[in-house]
């Protein structure tokens, strides 16, 4: 049962002073200043507004994770639970962020400070809309596709001319793919403006649908100036598009929440830049915290890296990311975990084993575009690999089975993309 | 001479592979994919859109700064200069951030990745308005105050009732202080809404001005939902306010740029949360990069920590922050460095010695509110300490001099706040 008036946070901290004192310092800095009393901090204010340290789990001595003004050879590590009165925060996301993940990272007394987990009160969660589409709405926009969703990224990231871009989209849309997305670097450049990209892509997608019957979603990257978000969103809607993409860490959660207010289409949430405040285990904010805020702000799809990716997180960490996305958050719609980087026919099996769900989207770059028999074969091979993963049959066995029946898509994909073990 | 078509970045990187290869990987990931060729990456695209590694300075072997999928006992450290074609980015701040500080932090091949410095082309700088007020405009709004600006933060951070708040503002405004600011935690809570805070503070400030003749600026924290920024800004303007405050890392640079478009008052830029992507020396973005982007986005005042503060940065690092703020950026107005945390009559001397300028704002919490003879004495003692710092006279000597003439403000401040050496 969530406490209706408390935001409960768990921090990993390191300090040269006793962890209890260090945590109290943090709690004071981020509320009414309990630990170091300030003039005017009345008993009333302390009782009603002070954040409280409710639990300390000591983890022993270790070398400091972060530099500080002072130096310390060994510091005391601990997990500290801090409870913030919701009254200090209200229901505003920016104020929440400032409170639980603001100045505290600067404290010289802390040699590590990481927000590991957050438990938001129902009143806070219920004040936010969450995803408008989520997994159910996205499947509906895709004409009712079942199973894991298969997508890809336009490559090269940048530099395509309008004609080159048209051919790439045509090929992918004709491959009956579920989602095509812009690279996060591709926004609204003069050499291929968003307006032209939207027009061209939607022409090709709607034309391909006449051939394949398949609804392909395109995540148009509308990252850019905040004032122009509406205009860029409207371009997409007017052309019949069903999805816009936002680089959330760059734009900020408040900009995402604003987009959610008026968006008529699904919001594909990219995490470019997130690792800057997440990768070091002694600093910043854990994925399982961040994803809650991004879901409340209204992202329908959220990037979570991918098993076997070229990114830093281990498969265990990526699995934890995905599981956190699949964990219910109040009454909000279920969000779509987006797996990317290094995804191919070899990744569905370990992914399904770790997650046990197909309510996700797998973005494969080379796995689609570089399939020896073309993107259509790439998409089919990925769907077959997902079916095999769900059934629990061995990939090479399934590939051989299809091949014996004259369908070599999976076999060729396995040969090209999956390393022999 | 800045190259008009190139964004030049310096990264600190660590890798198990050769630094040249690691830097090329980064450059490829963040442009057209040079290092790992992708289908459709034509010669034309490579020539026009690829980012190039133009310099590698090897720094030897060391233990990895960051965890990754793979592990490596020793990695190769280097400084890599990467040049991005401006054509990829255009003049958009969000696209710039995504390009120079986006997915690259995730690369598993890198065991450290930090954007140390950036050199923006004039065409990029000139496309942005920069500060509307800056130091000159702020001095003008303050009725022509010369020398270092003196400010303070409302304490306690949170929890004050309207009546308590009124008394705190009254006392500070009557002290002829230059700036009063909300704490970054104080936004628009139900128990003391921004609308009431603005009304009460401006009543008190305008009334105090009748008595003192001094113009006090109040930085009202309008951090919150993006859609409401305009409304909250307008509240301040309508009441005769001259400044709004934004927690920039939480709101995002694009939201700041949007505010700059319509703001009629100075923008006080807080950095709450910035340390999450700045404190670890092997990850994220250096202050001297971030401050350029925040200035281009339109911040008039920018927090830079303070010498002798309770925050993590050493005095050398804080001095470097302030110097970077004082470095001209194209033709933009000069921004106001804001020094905070642990500031008192002891800090002007080392600050002036390090910086050699009084074009800055010093926020003193206890140094004002907790002066034994009240906030008025606190403000006067800080101005006297700044005069002494600029003249190069010893603080205790100056305090004794004033005291002999019957003015004990500085003497009492020195006794209370400055530790004996």
């Amino acid at each position: 049962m969530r406490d209706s008036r408390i935001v409960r946070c768990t921090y990993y901290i390191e300090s040269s002073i006793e962890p209890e004192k260090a945590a109290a310092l943090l709690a004071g800095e981020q509320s009414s200043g309990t630990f170091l009393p300030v003039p005017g901090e009345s008993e009333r204010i302390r009782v009603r507004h002070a954040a409280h340290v409710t639990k300390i789990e000591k983890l022993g001595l270790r070398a400091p994770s972060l530099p500080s003004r002072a130096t310390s050879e060994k510091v005391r590590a601990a997990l500290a639970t801090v409870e913030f009165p919701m009254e200090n925060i209200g229901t505003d996301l920016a104020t929440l962020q400032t409170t639980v993940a603001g100045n505290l990272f600067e404290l010289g007394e802390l040699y590590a400070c990481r927000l590991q987990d957050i438990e938001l009160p129902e009143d806070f969660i219920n004040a936010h809309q969450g995803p408008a589409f989520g997994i159910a709405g996205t499947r509906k926009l895709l004409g009712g596709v079942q199973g894991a969703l298969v997508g890809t990224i336009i490559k090269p990231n940048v530099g395509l001319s309008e004609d080159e871009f048209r051919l790439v989209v045509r090929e992918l849309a004709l491959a009956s793919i579920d989602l095509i997305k812009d690279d996060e670097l591709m926004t609204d450049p003069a050499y291929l403006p968003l307006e032209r990209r939207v027009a061209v892509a939607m022409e090709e997608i709607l034309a391909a649908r006449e051939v394949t019957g398949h609804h392909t979603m395109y995540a148009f990257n509308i990252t850019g100036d905040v004032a122009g978000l509406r205009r860029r969103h409207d371009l997409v809607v007017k052309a019949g598009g069903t999805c816009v993409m936002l680089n959330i860490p760059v734009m900020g959660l408040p900009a995402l929440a604003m987009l959610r207010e008026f968006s008529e289409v699904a919001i594909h949430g990219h995490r470019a830049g997130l690792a800057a405040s997440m990768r070091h285990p002694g600093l910043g904010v854990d994925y399982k915290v961040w994803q809650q805020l991004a879901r409340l702000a209204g992202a329908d799809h959220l990037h979570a890296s991918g098993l076997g990716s070229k990114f830093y997180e281990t498969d265990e960490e990526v699995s934890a990311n995905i599981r956190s996305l699949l964990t219910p958050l109040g009454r909000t719609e279920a969000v779509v975990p987006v797996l990317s980087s290094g995804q191919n026919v070899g990744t569905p099996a370990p992914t399904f084993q770790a997650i046990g769900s197909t309510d996700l989207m797998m973005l494969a770059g080379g796995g689609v575009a570089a399939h020896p028999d073309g993107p259509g074969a790439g998409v089919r091979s990925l769907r077959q690999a997902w079916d095999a993963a769900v059934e629990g049959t061995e990939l090479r066995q399934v590939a051989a089975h299809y091949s014996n029946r004259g369908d070599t898509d999976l076999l060729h994909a396995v040969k090209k993309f999956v390393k022999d073990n």
Side-chain angles (χ1 to χ4, degrees), chain A:
Chain A
M1 184 62 191
R2 288 169 187 268
D3 187 313
S4 66
R5 294 159 293 109
I6 291 293
V7 174
R8 187 174 289 119
C9 292
T10 308
Y11 294 95
Y12 170 72
I13 57 171
E14 293 170 4
S15 58
S16 56
I17 56 179
E18 283 296 329
E20 289 83 355
K21 275 197 177 179
L25 203 69
L26 183 162
E29 176 77 17
Q30 298 305 110
S31 65
S32 61
T34 312
F35 180 64
L36 291 173
V38 295
E41 193 196 0
S42 64
E43 184 60 22
R44 180 189 65 76
I45 291 178
R46 253 193 305 276
V47 168
R48 199 161 131 180
H49 296 281
H52 293 286
V53 181
T54 56
K55 196 178 157 193
I56 293 283
E57 185 188 332
K58 297 190 184 184
L59 303 172
L61 289 173
R62 53 190 66 170
S65 290
L66 300 172
S68 191
R69 286 192 159 258
T71 48
S72 204
E73 219 162 282
K74 288 281 173 193
V75 290
R76 297 155 206 256
L79 285 175
T81 303
V82 181
E83 296 189 349
F84 299 91
M86 188 178 153
E87 192 177 9
N88 294 5
I89 296 163
T91 59
D92 178 52
L93 275 171
T95 308
L96 175 72
Q97 264 190 287
T98 306
T99 304
V100 303
N103 259 4
L104 70 182
F105 300 121
E106 305 230 2
L107 290 172
E109 290 281 7
L110 301 182
Y111 294 84
C113 182
R114 183 175 175 89
L115 177 54
Q116 295 282 34
D117 208 351
I118 193 167
E119 197 183 316
L120 292 165
E122 276 180 16
D123 288 356
F124 191 95
I125 295 172
N126 292 341
H128 296 273
Q129 300 188 90
F133 294 87
I135 185 74
T138 298
R139 289 196 189 284
K140 207 167 161 190
L141 288 171
L142 289 169
V145 175
Q146 296 304 302
L149 306 176
V150 174
T152 195
I153 305 121
I154 296 280
K155 295 278 173 188
N157 302 335
V158 295
L160 288 174
S161 69
E162 185 177 314
D163 290 343
E164 291 166 337
F165 175 74
R166 181 183 290 280
L167 294 180
V168 174
V169 176
R170 181 180 297 170
E171 203 172 27
L172 291 170
L174 285 170
S176 297
I177 201 160
D178 297 323
L179 181 128
I180 308 171
K181 70 176 272 294
D182 284 326
D183 190 84
E184 78 277 5
L185 299 171
M186 171 56 67
T187 56
D188 195 8
Y191 66 85
L192 182 56
L194 179 68
E195 184 163 7
R196 287 306 304 156
R197 226 157 68 240
V198 169
V200 166
M202 290 316 300
E203 268 172 40
E204 293 300 326
I205 283 171
L206 295 174
R209 188 167 142 188
E210 294 298 310
V211 178
T212 63
H214 193 81
H215 296 233
T216 292
M217 180 177 265
Y218 193 113
F220 292 103
N221 188 5
I222 63 167
T223 297
D225 66 310
V226 173
L229 276 179
R230 181 76 198 232
R231 181 187 67 80
R232 296 192 296 277
H233 162 273
D234 289 354
L235 280 180
V236 173
V237 172
K238 212 170 155 187
T242 54
C243 187
V244 292
M245 165 172 152
L246 205 67
N247 298 346
I248 302 174
V250 168
M251 297 298 291
L253 291 169
L256 169 61
M258 185 187 100
L259 173 62
R260 167 65 176 88
E261 285 289 325
F262 63 73
S263 185
E264 299 174 30
V265 295
I267 301 172
H268 188 85
H270 201 281
R271 64 177 216 175
L274 188 63
S277 57
M278 192 170 282
R279 183 163 175 179
H280 194 282
L283 182 63
V285 175
D286 195 84
Y287 189 85
K288 64 178 168 292
V289 175
W290 182 80
Q291 59 87 22
Q292 290 188 48
L293 308 188
R295 284 159 72 182
L296 290 184
D300 293 292
H301 311 160
L302 273 176
H303 279 241
S305 192
L307 281 85
S309 88
K310 66 187 170 189
F311 291 154
Y312 74 100
E313 287 160 301
T314 63
D315 285 358
E316 290 67 35
E317 289 167 332
V318 173
S319 300
N321 291 351
I322 301 169
R323 273 193 293 269
S324 73
L325 290 167
L326 295 174
T327 303
L329 182 61
R331 295 189 297 261
T332 60
E333 287 290 327
V335 70
V336 184
V338 180
L339 285 52
S340 66
S341 176
Q343 304 301 291
N344 59 47
V345 289
T347 37
T351 302
F352 189 76
Q353 276 160 31
I355 305 302
S357 173
T358 57
D359 278 344
L360 49 80
M361 180 184 286
M362 178 169 274
L363 303 181
V368 171
H371 190 287
D373 308 316
V379 172
R380 278 189 301 276
S381 68
L382 282 160
R383 295 202 199 278
Q384 290 168 351
W386 265 102
D387 287 344
V390 172
E391 285 159 18
T393 45
E394 206 273 323
L395 190 67
R396 280 177 181 76
Q397 221 173 343
V398 179
H401 168 75
Y402 280 116
S403 180
N404 290 338
R405 292 164 56 186
D407 176 354
T408 54
D409 294 343
L410 186 56
L411 185 69
H412 291 173
V414 169
K415 282 188 176 166
K416 171 141 189 187
F417 300 112
V418 184
K419 285 182 216 133
D420 291 316
N421 291 316

